[in-house]
Amino acid sequence: MVTVGERTVQVGGARQRTILALLLLSPGRIVPVDTLVDVVWNGRPPATARTQVAIVIAALRKAIKSEGIAEEVIATAHPGYLLRPDGHVLDTVTFSGLVGEAEEAVRTHRPADAARCYAEALALWRGPALAGVTGQLVEDEAARWEEVRINAYEAMTGVQLELGRHQLLLPELAAAVREHPLRERARYHLILAQYRSGRRAEAMESFREARRQFIDELGMDPGPELQELHDAILRDDPSLAFEPPVQQGDATDGAGDALAARGRVVPSELPPDVPGFAGRGAELDALDTLVDGQGQDSRASTVGLITGVAGVGKTGLAVRWAHRVTEQYPDGRLFADLRGYDEHHAPTTAGDILSRFLRSLGVDSDDVPNGLEDRIALYRSVLAERRVLIVLDNVRTFAQIRPLLPGSGGSTVLVTSREQLEQLVTWPQRGRVHLGVLPEADSVELLGRIVGEARIQAAPEDSARLAELCDRLPLALRIAAARLASKPHWTVRHLVTRLNDGRRRLDELSQGESQVRASFELSYRYLHKDAARLYRLLGLLGVPDFTTWVGAALLDGDVMDAERLIEHLVDAQFLEVVGVDATGQLRYRFQNLMRLYAEELAREEESEEERLAACERVFQSCLTIAERAFRRENGSGSGIAHGDGTRREIDSVLLEELLVAPLEWFEAERLSLVAVVEQAADLGMDGLAWGLVMSMEVLFTSRNYLEDWRHCSEYALGAARAAGNLRGRAAMEQQLGLVEMRLRRLTESTVRQEAALALYTEAGDALGRALVLSDLAVINRLRGECDQGMERLREALPVLRAAGDRASEAYALQNMAQFALDQGRPEAAIELSREAVRVCESIQGDQHSLAMATHRMAGAHLALGQLEEAEGAFARVVDIVRSRSDLLGLAHALLGLAETRLQAGASEAAEQTFLEALDAARRTRSPMIEGQIRLSLGRAYGDRGDGEAGRAHIAEALAVFRRIGSPPWEEKAAAALQRLGEGSGQRT
């Protein structure tokens, strides 16, 4: 819109609007006629296009002059036209200027000014940018400006939250999230505003909704900031609470204190600032609360604590912050290294530090008392009238620093320690800062500041890998960077190659004066001997994380004792807490360098026999728990070819606690179990490896973890082959055949299963043979080979019954029911599936088999048109699989229920059920069931007259079937699409 004063300049036609928009988007810059022609006619201009552009320009000039504007606003300038910006106001320019002012106000800590500028900028918007104007270039610009507007709005809400306006923001933030559900920043602000407004439950629901939408739309979880906010809300982290900001210029300037300090000695003992410091912005801001926390009472002392593992940069952060706030402490800055972890010197005593501090503060040496209590009293008296910063570095115990804490006054104490120092109460609460490793970007930045940015930026992938190999630990990063800086002929990749070898990594990072190994060793020496042994043994495991029962297995002891020792290792910064898993267990993990050091110590201090025995106890415990979890999921009558590895007895109370929801235990331990299979196989413990894979089948199938399934089976197969274990080889060939079957690679699956059949036959394992015959029968069914499949099942069934394998018997019966259904004999299918259900109901806890058999029976009822019986059976399956968190089973069950409801004429209920099935299928990452659901849903839409929606779903189904290579289903989808294309399902 163009205005002159209060009047609106009338701009006619689409071409005038488009050309004016192009000129407005480039004020003061020439827009070539060719560009105008290309945009107006979308790349297909008529021969008179340039003439028509000139006509439009003339019309625009006339419209502007008719409102009394004498000067030429649109000028001719080869090779086109330009809009003169002088003397006119453009909203885009004004908006950009106000946003720039707001960003500057944010940088200079003036949130109120920033909020005002953002609000003025956003008030200039009266609707979508360039609304009603067409042309690709204009539309692209409109999209860009919309992104700019949203970014400004999100920045404004961030400032408003900083000002404590969370309750006022709630309605508009909720609307913004509805409009842009995938904007993480807006979602973050909404959740934080809800939490600060006392709506904690709503905040958690908003996060869950965000997670669902991100997974559904993008196939990924929300970003780390939203995840961290969610975790902080769960623990009611004090850092989330609103703290009134201090506008620049509002803080006490300390002038009175400075005048009072005249004539006094003003010590300045801080070490030099850390060169090449990178990152730690949030931590520095948290430490700033030590200054802000004194508020109007400049005489209130504050205490801060920085904790973290050796080498994480505690001293560097303390020194950087101390230099940053020097002016806030006009009466001096004191520094002392208490040498809590120095192997060459005894820890510095409080008496010695007090003596030095008193002299630094102007007390004559002769006036320093001899007794500790007298020194403490004088020290606190001197500080009572002063504002001093006291940095106490490398503290090991609270007792070391208790005498050094001021009694009153406006001083601040900042402590660094590898311990948590629970007795030290920090104030404000945010003054307790735990340092983790650096983010990747900050780690690479640190490398660049030491090595040289050009050298690091020239190899971005190698630099990121180098940071990871250093665990993003500042000490290790500095050592690596120093080596590169001292060897300009080395590439970053060369150093990465040297560090890639885990056996050499600590050697490479322990050269010269700064040594990673030495820094770890200092902390290790102070560990209790039991904690030290557990630390060493944990280093032997290749698992990504673990719970307390793993520690108990390593030590062959009690879980409570293991938990106590693990928590000791956490307090000493050797381990870190990952969080609570789905079973309610705390999970712990190493940083990689810490794990390498632990493994190194284990090889030095534990015999090979002790190392193997400790690992074997963990692997045996895994097998015991996994088999118990399998039986709870598949019932006591479930039969699998059990591995021949030894099981370890597990406390029954612990088992009950872990296996309340067996699939959730499998899910929580999935990555660790995969690592155990690998390690057991590598150590030649083939029976443990393949036995564990067999129990994990229930996880792999219900959650569709096909890559994990294949990976574990191949590892265990290799171990079984090396050991000459026929049953192990047969079982793993069978598992790999099942993976291929899931992928509908039937030829490959048949080869694997026939190999398994031959191996079981050679081993004389009749039950194994029967299980493989059942699997081969499924392949026959998929190929339409009903006679051969039924023959195999009839051969397998008596063997399964004789072995008492009720679950496999039920599996064979329900597959026979499916064969009968495929052959057009639904009555026979009902009888067979009923028998399968009866068998399943006789097995305690076998909900998996019961769900499959009931599903077959429901399908038979549906084929007979017995819709009420079919719906009841499918609904029962839905209940069973939901209780087991079996997403794949849920997708299949909901599909059957939807088709039943559709046949019964309940189209709306059917549509809703189809959509629920599709949601479950997406979460399983199983393309076959997703394609089947889309095909049925597309047919349903077509039948009710919504041809467009029907074609869309069927086309997606066809693409899925083509991608996975399923010709029968391709034919079905293609035929359905053709029928819709002929118009039978098109809306009239």
Side-chain angles (χ1 to χ4, degrees):
M1 183 171 67
V2 181
T3 60
V4 178
E6 299 294 324
R7 302 186 308 280
T8 299
V9 176
Q10 296 300 317
V11 178
R15 292 176 188 171
Q16 286 191 27
R17 291 196 301 273
T18 300
I19 289 176
L20 180 58
L22 290 168
L23 295 172
L24 288 169
L25 287 170
S26 303
R29 298 197 302 273
I30 297 172
V31 180
V33 172
D34 290 342
T35 299
L36 299 175
V37 167
D38 188 66
V39 173
V40 170
W41 283 278
N42 198 24
R44 295 187 295 275
T48 60
R50 299 176 71 87
T51 302
Q52 292 188 49
V53 167
I55 293 171
V56 169
I57 293 292
L60 287 171
R61 287 170 174 165
K62 180 178 179 181
I64 293 170
K65 286 185 178 180
S66 68
E67 295 297 336
I69 305 299
E71 61 268 33
E72 187 176 60
V73 176
I74 300 175
T76 301
H78 185 76
Y81 305 91
L82 66 81
L83 183 80
R84 298 186 187 275
D86 301 331
H88 312 296
V89 177
L90 291 174
D91 284 353
T92 53
V93 176
T94 305
F95 174 89
S96 298
L98 286 167
V99 169
E101 290 180 32
E103 291 170 347
E104 178 61 22
V106 170
R107 282 192 293 271
T108 54
H109 306 292
R110 293 180 289 115
D113 293 337
R116 176 183 51 79
C117 291
Y118 277 129
E120 290 179 14
L122 291 167
L124 296 171
W125 289 75
R126 300 173 182 86
L130 304 171
V133 183
T134 59
Q136 187 61 50
L137 181 60
V138 177
E139 291 167 6
D140 290 346
E141 277 297 297
R144 184 183 70 82
W145 274 105
E146 178 63 10
E147 181 69 14
V148 169
R149 182 190 69 81
I150 295 172
N151 287 337
Y153 173 78
E154 291 175 343
M156 183 188 72
T157 57
V159 174
Q160 299 277 26
L161 285 171
E162 188 179 346
L163 291 169
R165 298 169 184 168
H166 32 271
Q167 289 185 327
L168 294 174
L169 282 172
L170 280 176
E172 62 182 274
L173 276 173
V177 166
R178 284 194 299 272
E179 185 179 0
H180 302 286
L182 300 181
R183 300 281 302 195
E184 290 199 40
R185 195 176 179 194
R187 184 82 65 167
Y188 183 103
H189 290 162
L190 172 62
I191 294 171
L192 181 58
Q194 288 171 328
Y195 177 80
R196 287 184 175 174
S197 300
R199 301 181 180 183
R200 189 172 185 269
E202 290 181 26
M204 298 305 292
E205 179 56 30
S206 292
F207 175 81
R208 288 191 291 270
E209 180 188 6
R211 188 173 185 274
R212 285 194 297 269
Q213 289 180 317
F214 272 67
I215 290 174
D216 290 347
E217 298 295 328
L218 306 177
M220 64 178 68
D221 281 315
E225 289 188 358
L226 271 181
Q227 299 276 8
E228 289 166 8
L229 176 61
H230 169 262
D231 294 344
I233 290 174
L234 281 178
R235 61 177 183 270
D236 282 320
D237 194 320
S239 66
L240 297 180
F242 167 66
E243 294 183 15
V246 178
Q247 285 275 116
Q248 185 173 350
D250 291 347
T252 303
D253 60 13
D257 291 333
L259 290 172
R262 286 179 182 172
R264 298 176 179 174
V265 175
V266 179
S268 185
E269 300 179 352
L270 297 176
D273 199 358
V274 181
F277 189 91
R280 304 301 192 197
E283 290 85 354
L284 289 167
D285 290 342
L287 292 176
D288 283 343
T289 63
L290 297 174
V291 178
D292 301 337
Q294 293 169 338
Q296 299 300 316
D297 182 5
S298 61
R299 314 317 305 161
S301 296
T302 55
V303 180
L305 172 65
I306 303 173
T307 60
V309 68
V312 81
K314 299 181 294 295
T315 302
L317 176 64
V319 171
R320 166 54 61 100
W321 181 78
H323 281 286
R324 169 166 152 161
V325 297
T326 293
E327 294 181 0
Q328 302 292 333
Y329 297 94
D331 295 321
R333 282 75 57 193
L334 300 173
F335 182 92
D337 184 351
L338 277 77
R339 296 174 178 170
Y341 300 90
D342 192 330
E343 63 176 336
H344 302 297
H345 303 87
T348 310
T349 66
D352 290 342
I353 294 174
L354 285 168
S355 177
R356 179 166 68 78
F357 279 0
L358 285 169
R359 291 195 301 272
S360 297
L361 291 166
V363 176
D364 192 273
S365 297
D366 294 337
D367 295 329
V368 175
N370 291 325
L372 179 60
E373 293 301 322
D374 291 336
R375 286 184 184 179
I376 294 172
L378 179 58
Y379 169 72
R380 288 174 176 166
S381 297
V382 171
L383 288 179
E385 299 300 323
R386 304 192 188 192
R387 188 178 172 90
V388 177
L389 174 61
I390 305 154
V391 180
L392 304 175
D393 195 27
N394 285 317
V395 174
R396 185 158 172 260
T397 66
F398 178 67
Q400 284 182 286
I401 60 170
R402 188 198 303 270
L404 304 175
L405 300 176
S408 61
S411 296
T412 292
V413 178
L414 180 58
V415 179
T416 74
S417 177
R418 300 179 192 182
E419 314 294 333
Q420 291 298 327
L421 302 182
E422 294 177 358
Q423 299 144 295
L424 181 65
V425 179
T426 60
W427 187 83
Q429 291 179 337
R430 285 187 65 195
R432 181 181 284 268
V433 173
H434 179 72
L435 276 191
V437 297
L438 286 170
E440 180 183 304
D442 293 339
S443 301
V444 173
E445 180 184 351
L446 175 56
L447 292 172
R449 291 187 175 185
I450 298 174
V451 178
E453 291 186 3
R455 197 167 162 196
I456 293 300
Q457 290 175 357
E461 292 183 4
D462 292 331
S463 298
R465 176 60 180 158
L466 178 59
E468 289 302 319
L469 290 171
C470 292
D471 271 358
R472 293 182 273 121
L473 191 69
L475 174 63
L477 289 165
R478 289 181 179 279
I479 293 170
R483 294 199 70 191
L484 280 175
S486 66
K487 295 183 179 295
H489 54 287
W490 277 15
T491 63
V492 179
R493 176 166 294 184
H494 180 73
L495 184 55
V496 166
T497 301
R498 296 174 70 95
L499 295 181
N500 263 329
D501 186 347
R503 294 167 298 179
R504 295 172 45 90
R505 195 176 308 159
L506 283 173
D507 292 333
E508 292 288 338
L509 295 174
S510 297
Q511 301 184 17
E513 292 185 5
S514 296
Q515 297 194 3
V516 169
R517 184 184 286 109
S519 70
F520 293 166
E521 183 180 1
L522 292 177
S523 296
Y524 175 72
R525 289 186 177 183
Y526 289 101
L527 287 176
H528 184 277
K529 64 181 181 63
D530 292 337
R533 182 162 191 261
L534 178 55
Y535 169 65
R536 296 193 299 271
L537 295 179
L538 283 168
L540 296 172
L541 301 177
V543 297
D545 51 42
F546 51 87
T547 60
T548 52
W549 65 263
V550 173
L554 284 170
L555 295 174
D556 200 13
D558 180 76
V559 172
M560 295 302 293
D561 290 336
E563 181 179 8
R564 175 177 54 81
L565 295 175
I566 287 174
E567 287 295 333
H568 182 67
L569 291 173
V570 171
D571 292 341
Q573 311 295 333
F574 283 87
L575 296 175
E576 59 185 18
V577 179
V578 179
V580 179
D581 65 24
T583 68
Q585 300 289 309
L586 275 171
R587 303 196 71 81
Y588 305 87
R589 70 181 173 200
F590 280 115
Q591 291 293 335
N592 286 329
L593 293 175
M594 276 291 191
R595 189 194 64 77
L596 290 173
Y597 183 58
E599 184 182 12
E600 186 177 278
L601 290 170
R603 298 191 182 283
E604 292 174 359
E605 301 183 35
E606 307 284 341
S607 69
E608 182 177 3
E609 181 180 323
E610 289 171 326
R611 296 197 304 269
L612 285 174
C615 288
E616 194 166 28
R617 286 193 295 273
V618 173
F619 303 161
Q620 290 170 354
S621 299
C622 287
L623 182 57
T624 299
I625 303 171
E627 286 187 344
R628 185 68 62 86
F630 178 91
R631 284 197 293 272
R632 289 202 176 187
E633 275 300 303
N634 279 11
S636 57
S638 298
I640 56 172
H642 290 287
D644 43 21
T646 304
R647 280 77 174 161
R648 182 171 180 269
E649 186 175 350
I650 302 292
D651 179 73
S652 60
V653 175
L654 175 62
L655 274 174
E656 288 300 318
E657 182 181 344
L658 293 176
L659 300 182
V660 172
L663 271 179
E664 294 303 327
W665 179 82
F666 271 123
E667 186 66 58
E669 296 286 356
R670 176 172 68 92
L671 297 179
S672 293
L673 291 173
V674 170
V676 166
V677 170
E678 293 177 3
Q679 195 169 1
D682 288 339
L683 291 173
M685 302 176 188
D686 57 296
L688 283 168
W690 77 262
L692 193 52
V693 175
M694 296 303 289
S695 292
M696 292 169 70
E697 180 187 330
V698 67
L699 169 69
F700 298 143
T701 56
S702 63
R703 302 295 169 90
N704 212 42
Y705 290 131
L706 299 186
E707 287 305 314
D708 287 348
W709 196 357
R710 182 193 300 279
H711 178 78
C712 289
S713 300
E714 287 176 342
Y715 249 92
L717 175 61
R721 188 179 287 125
N725 189 324
L726 288 178
R727 290 185 68 245
R729 287 174 60 192
M732 293 303 94
E733 290 284 5
Q734 182 188 14
Q735 292 292 303
L736 288 166
L738 291 174
V739 175
E740 299 293 359
M741 190 192 303
R742 273 295 180 94
L743 294 170
R744 293 301 189 267
R745 297 171 54 175
L746 301 185
T747 300
E748 292 85 348
S749 180
T750 301
V751 170
R752 290 286 191 183
Q753 296 290 5
E754 288 178 345
L757 189 66
L759 288 164
Y760 275 132
T761 302
E762 184 179 352
D765 189 331
L767 176 60
R769 286 191 79 260
L771 293 172
V772 174
L773 287 171
S774 293
D775 292 334
L776 284 167
V778 175
I779 297 175
N780 291 140
R781 180 171 61 80
L782 293 172
R783 285 175 166 167
E785 301 164 349
C786 294
D787 293 340
Q788 187 176 1
M790 285 292 279
E791 182 181 342
R792 280 174 164 160
L793 289 172
R794 291 192 187 102
E795 180 182 351
L797 192 57
V799 178
L800 298 172
R801 283 173 171 160
D805 187 350
R806 304 286 280 164
S808 297
E809 177 188 351
Y811 181 70
L813 285 168
Q814 55 101 352
N815 272 318
M816 292 172 79
Q818 186 62 51
F819 273 119
L821 199 59
D822 292 344
Q823 292 171 328
R825 298 186 294 118
E827 294 87 354
I830 285 181
E831 289 305 314
L832 286 164
S833 58
R834 277 179 179 160
E835 185 179 355
V837 169
R838 283 195 297 271
V839 171
C840 293
E841 289 175 338
S842 71
I843 306 171
Q844 184 178 0
D846 189 0
Q847 296 297 295
H848 175 68
S849 296
L850 180 60
M852 294 179 68
T854 307
H855 191 279
R856 292 284 191 248
M857 186 167 65
H861 281 305
L862 182 59
L864 283 169
Q866 298 169 350
L867 302 182
E868 185 175 349
E869 293 86 346
E871 178 157 0
F874 277 127
R876 185 184 185 189
V877 178
V878 169
D879 290 340
I880 294 172
V881 293
R882 273 197 171 130
S883 70
R884 299 178 62 247
S885 301
D886 182 353
L887 291 175
L888 189 59
L890 181 61
H892 281 283
L894 287 170
L895 173 58
L897 186 59
E899 290 176 334
T900 304
R901 288 172 173 171
L902 189 64
Q903 283 197 29
S907 58
E908 290 187 8
E911 179 182 357
Q912 184 60 39
T913 309
F914 274 128
L915 294 174
E916 287 181 42
L918 188 57
D919 178 65
R922 284 170 176 160
R923 286 183 284 157
T924 67
R925 296 171 296 178
S926 175
M928 173 58 77
I929 183 60
E930 181 179 347
Q932 291 169 343
I933 294 166
R934 287 192 181 279
L935 176 57
S936 291
L937 182 57
R939 286 169 170 166
Y941 278 134
D943 290 343
R944 79 175 192 187
D946 191 347
E948 184 178 351
R951 281 189 294 275
H953 280 289
I954 296 174
E956 288 195 43
L958 181 59
V960 167
F961 296 141
R962 283 174 175 164
R963 187 169 68 249
I964 64 176
S966 179
W969 284 98
E970 281 185 56
E971 291 176 11
K972 292 178 183 179
L977 194 61
Q978 184 177 5
R979 284 195 297 273
L980 274 183
E982 291 171 353
S984 60
Q986 295 184 32
R987 182 176 294 155
T988 58

